[in-house]
Amino acid sequence: MDSAMLRVLFGHRIEKLTLPSGIPETMEELNLAIKQTLSITDNFSLQYLDPDFGDFFTLNSTAEITHKATIKVVTINPVVLSLYPLPLNDSYDESFTSEQSHDPASTSSTVQDSCGSCESSSESSAIISASSSLQKKPWPTDFIIPRFSVETEMILERANEVYRKEGTLLTMPNIKSDILEKLAQSIYTYTPYPSLQNRLSVAEALIKAHPCLKDPGSSSGVIGWQNSIKYKMANYRTKLRGFGIPDVTCNALKHKCPADRKSAKNVKKAKRAEVNYLPPYPAGENEQSLEKVREELVTESKKKNNENVVKDQMSKTFALRRHEIINLCPTVRAMKDRWPALFDPSQINAEFQRTTTVLLEPKFMSALDRHTPKLLMLFRAKGGALGRRLEIIMELLQDSVHSSIERTREVVLRCLIEYLGEQGGHLIKEFNDKENLEELEQLIMAITVTPKPGASTSNSLKNIGIVIEGVEVITGLGDIARACSLLLGLTYALNLDYPTQLKYTFEVFQKLFLELDDSKLSSKVQSLKSKLQA
């Protein structure tokens, strides 16, 4: 079947979608391909450009589009109702209420009982209510500069016109505070701890939108703004801590144990592109109410054909689970006892998507398959002792009897570990029998392969599982590639560090295969990426 390409319009983005197997037969397959390519987490519908009318119409069937057709992604924003208790002077922050009601990051309706105490300020009520429904978004490819106040927008419009005609920069420091406040609010919808690269991208977007704001002290015109954004975000986090926002409150000194009470030590923030690293509790819920749901979840997870109930309860208790993992650092055994459903493969995928907004297994396998031809070429071209080791591993591909896509993926992954200068035995542990329990209990993080009764060399007769901290958390997996993706998912779900002896392997899994935080690579992985793109 011939491949097909589609032109996809999504907001301000225009992307080319390549479909190796041609136009999908069903809308579900097309929606999944678009969701993975554009990393869309919201609900959406599709429209196609009708050549007869020259306008977009709702796409109900993939039969209505052909190769090189143009389709548009239309997100479906939920309706959010926010009610706030009025203070005694009957005034409240109307601008915040309006902004929150139209916040596209809000993913569920938020209703707050207005009969609560009126002693707290309207600003406190607004911010706490916003935190209950706010879901973080992945950092955008192109940062969108928010609208500033009316007077600031008027000043900038005139100053930009003067700059285009005369090249004169704006010298009105009194509007800088308004600009930085709006930027901080917008940045926080992505992360409370923007990296240097994040801050530079915001500064560059600001100068591109308003060239009159260039910093005269640097050739690029953005260094001064980058520094101002850095200090503004620090002040903004301090402000949010006053309202108990969890992803910044956890780093306040009074919330750390005495041994860690240094501002720069043990900062609990997203380090691997986690979008929802430490989310607030859902509106109307607290630790006690969610604990009751967790207890029900343990019971429900023991029942058969109960996937939908378990899925809903896992989603509802996501914030409670993250608070336990980030703040209490429980053992894997304790997590398995309290959250048994978390170690089901489907729930690992769901938890990974909740944390990063990225589909785990589909994207991992798709990237692995896409890079396989080039990787095999690199492996075969390698000489010396490493080349001989890779050749021995690749001999498995010559066995036509047991050849399959799963076998090919396994061979590529085993070779990849060796190619990166690490040892496959550190990740994949093979046992001849089930009697080596003492050795299994010593494993920190590994994929285990044990024979089934009557086993041969075929993986279909092997039991593949995952062991973390000496605990066998998953068994009965079908292949090594799936085990690798689920192990990566568990490191996110349980906030675990990568094994030191496999740091390059997991970096490839995360940054090359899943494209999470892929802007900063080690020299070894950057070299591999360059070769794959050559």
Side-chain angles (χ1 to χ4, degrees), residues 176 224 264 273 295 306 327 411 489-490 508:
K176 188 173 183 178
E295 292 171 355
N306 206 26
N327 293 321
V411 168
L490 282 170
V508 169

Side-chain angles (χ1 to χ4, degrees), residues 358-386:
V358 171
L359 297 173
L360 175 59
E361 283 192 73
K363 188 162 187 176
F364 186 96
M365 299 304 176
S366 174
L368 176 58
D369 294 343
R370 184 173 68 253
H371 291 307
T372 287
K374 202 62 175 285
L375 285 171
L376 289 174
M377 188 183 303
L378 293 175
F379 300 154
R380 293 188 176 106
K382 204 67 180 176
L386 174 58

Side-chain angles (χ1 to χ4, degrees), residues 6 34 46 48 69 77 88 120 127 151 166 183 213 234 236 246 267 283 297 325 347 382 387 430 439 453-454 523:
L6 298 176
I34 292 173
L46 296 177
Y48 71 100
N77 292 325
L88 295 177
S120 61
I127 290 182
E151 56 269 29
E166 305 174 7
L183 289 178
L213 293 175
Y236 191 66
V267 176
L297 173 61
I325 292 169
Q347 290 305 320
K382 204 67 180 176
E430 301 203 36
E439 185 177 350
S523 57

Side-chain angles (χ1 to χ4, degrees), residues 329-342:
C329 302
T331 64
V332 171
R333 189 177 299 277
M335 285 298 297
K336 200 167 188 298
D337 290 339
R338 280 182 57 80
W339 302 95
L342 179 60

Side-chain angles (χ1 to χ4, degrees), residues 113 148 268 276 357 373 393 453 456 531:
D113 192 351
F148 304 120
K268 297 171 181 175
N276 293 300
T357 75
I393 298 173
S456 65
K531 292 175 181 177

Side-chain angles (χ1 to χ4, degrees), residues 229-243:
I229 293 170
K230 175 183 177 180
Y231 293 116
K232 178 60 184 180
M233 286 305 298
N235 293 333
Y236 191 66
R237 289 193 295 268
T238 300
K239 176 182 177 181
L240 294 180
R241 287 190 190 105
F243 298 108

Side-chain angles (χ1 to χ4, degrees), residues 18-289:
T18 302
L19 301 168
S21 301
I23 303 296
E25 295 183 357
T26 66
M27 288 294 296
E28 290 75 14
E29 294 175 297
L30 178 60
N31 287 341
L32 180 60
I34 292 173
K35 181 177 290 188
Q36 293 176 355
T37 301
L38 302 182
S39 299
I40 302 175
T41 57
D42 297 330
N43 294 326
F44 64 88
S45 62
L46 296 177
Q47 299 177 353
Y48 71 100
L49 182 62
D50 189 289
D52 295 329
F53 290 90
D55 202 354
F56 286 93
F57 291 83
T58 301
L59 181 63
N60 297 310
S61 170
T62 57
E64 297 172 311
I65 56 175
T66 58
H67 175 54
K68 292 188 177 181
T70 298
I71 60 177
K72 181 191 292 186
V73 178
V74 181
T75 56
I76 304 173
N77 292 325
V79 177
V80 179
L81 177 63
S82 300
L83 303 179
Y84 305 101
L86 293 176
L88 295 177
N89 61 2
D90 292 336
S91 64
Y92 60 97
D93 191 342
E94 294 182 353
S95 63
F96 189 93
T97 305
S98 175
E99 183 176 308
Q100 171 66 12
S101 299
H102 294 85
D103 183 2
S106 301
T107 57
S108 62
S109 297
T110 303
V111 181
Q112 197 170 48
D113 192 351
S114 61
C115 66
S117 171
C118 294
E119 295 178 359
S120 61
S121 67
S122 59
E123 183 181 12
S124 173
S125 299
I127 290 182
I128 292 174
S129 296
S131 70
S132 299
S133 61
L134 184 63
Q135 291 286 330
K136 294 291 190 296
K137 300 173 288 187
W139 190 268
T141 304
D142 298 308
F143 188 88
I144 305 299
I145 298 300
R147 293 282 298 177
F148 304 120
S149 65
V150 175
E151 56 269 29
T152 299
E153 287 288 345
M154 291 178 61
I155 293 171
L156 290 175
E157 184 178 354
R158 294 170 184 171
N160 285 329
E161 185 65 28
V162 172
Y163 176 81
R164 283 190 288 268
K165 292 180 179 180
E166 305 174 7
T168 304
L169 298 176
L170 178 63
T171 56
M172 290 185 65
N174 57 323
I175 70 168
K176 188 173 183 178
S177 60
D178 177 48
I179 293 175
L180 289 173
E181 183 70 20
K182 288 295 193 298
L183 289 178
Q185 293 172 4
S186 185
I187 290 171
Y188 181 73
T189 64
Y190 303 104
T191 174
Y193 297 94
S195 64
L196 172 61
Q197 184 172 3
N198 294 153
R199 298 193 301 269
L200 284 173
S201 69
V202 175
E204 290 168 356
L206 178 65
I207 298 307
K208 182 177 180 181
H210 303 290
C212 66
L213 293 175
K214 285 183 179 179
D215 172 25
S218 64
S219 58
S220 62
V222 301
I223 301 301
W225 280 104
Q226 183 276 135
N227 289 327
S228 296
I229 293 170
K230 175 183 177 180
Y231 293 116
K232 178 60 184 180
M233 286 305 298
N235 293 333
Y236 191 66
R237 289 193 295 268
T238 300
K239 176 182 177 181
L240 294 180
R241 287 190 190 105
F243 298 108
I245 306 300
D247 54 0
V248 291
T249 303
C250 65
N251 291 316
L253 294 185
K254 67 179 181 179
H255 289 276
K256 294 185 178 183
C257 65
D260 289 338
R261 286 191 176 176
K262 294 181 180 180
S263 59
K265 186 176 182 181
N266 197 26
V267 176
K268 297 171 181 175
K269 61 182 180 180
K271 295 181 176 64
R272 298 189 300 226
E274 298 98 333
V275 176
N276 293 300
Y277 183 71
L278 189 56
Y281 293 138
E285 301 288 353
N286 55 33
E287 185 176 351
Q288 291 71 32
S289 64

